[in-house]
């Protein structure tokens, strides 16, 4: 397919069409955006009021949702934790907590927590163990908060 040479008029016409489309989009935002924003703000106020009136149930909702998220996608929790401890794709990061622990331990024994952390940080088999532990924690959070909410509802 040969390339077409554009004239300045073609470029101007295309720019004009884009600008008109942007103006039309702006009209849509003005027409529908304000009511949507107001409804969102009202919903946020209602949620805040309910949370203030029901702090235990609100905490259970937050903990349960967090647990369900970790259960479904454990790497959302484990990747930042591993990285912040110093377990990276390139090995243990100098000056990190993992480096300090490694200097205390010395040689790393296969199967130890340090070895699993190194493997998980590098994306190896240790990640299965770390993610599995996170998922177990997520399940406990979800079920525990549901149990507390149920007990609260019975009182």
């Amino acid at each position: 397919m040969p390339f077409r040479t554009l004239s300045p008029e073609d470029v101007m016409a295309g720019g004009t069409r884009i600008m008109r489309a942007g103006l039309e989009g702006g009209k849509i935002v003005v027409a529908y955006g304000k009511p949507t924003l107001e409804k969102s703000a009202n919903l946020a106020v209602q949620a805040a009021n309910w949370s203030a009136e029901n702090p235990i149930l609100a905490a259970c909702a937050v903990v349960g949702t967090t647990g369900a998220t970790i259960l479904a996608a454990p790497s959302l929790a484990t990747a930042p934790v591993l990285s912040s401890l110093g377990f990276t794709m390139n090995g243990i990061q100098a000056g990190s907590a993992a480096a300090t622990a490694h200097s205390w331990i010395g040689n790393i024994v296969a199967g130890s927590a340090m070895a699993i952390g190194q493997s998980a940080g590098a994306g190896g088999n240790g990640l299965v163990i770390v993610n599995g532990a996170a998922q177990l924690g997520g399940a406990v959070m979800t079920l525990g908060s549901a149990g507390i909410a149920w007990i609260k509802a019975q009182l």
Side-chain angles (χ1 to χ4, degrees):
M1 176 182 220
F3 287 103
R4 179 176 162 221
T5 304
L6 296 176
S7 68
E9 291 81 20
D10 292 335
V11 173
M12 290 294 291
T16 302
R17 284 194 302 272
I18 291 171
M19 197 164 54
R20 284 190 183 137
L23 291 172
E24 289 299 314
K27 290 177 186 175
I28 291 171
V29 168
V30 169
Y32 298 105
K34 186 176 179 184
T36 302
L37 183 61
E38 289 172 355
K39 288 180 183 178
S40 297
N42 288 338
L43 183 62
V45 168
Q46 289 174 359
N49 287 336
W50 180 85
S51 295
E53 293 169 7
N54 303 289
I56 293 173
L57 293 178
C60 286
V62 170
V63 171
T65 303
T66 303
T69 302
I70 293 171
L71 184 61
S75 62
L76 291 175
T78 60
V81 170
L82 287 168
S83 178
S84 67
L85 289 173
F87 296 110
T88 68
M89 291 295 288
N90 298 323
I92 293 178
Q93 183 179 6
S96 66
T100 302
H102 189 242
S103 70
W104 291 341
I105 295 169
N107 291 334
I108 304 300
V109 178
S112 67
M114 192 71 167
I116 292 169
Q118 283 181 312
S119 174
N125 290 335
L127 198 53
V128 173
I129 296 168
V130 171
N131 282 344
Q135 286 180 310
L136 179 62
V140 169
M141 289 170 65
T142 302
L143 295 174
S145 63
I148 292 171
W150 181 80
I151 290 169
K152 173 74 173 131
Q154 301 303 311
L155 298 176

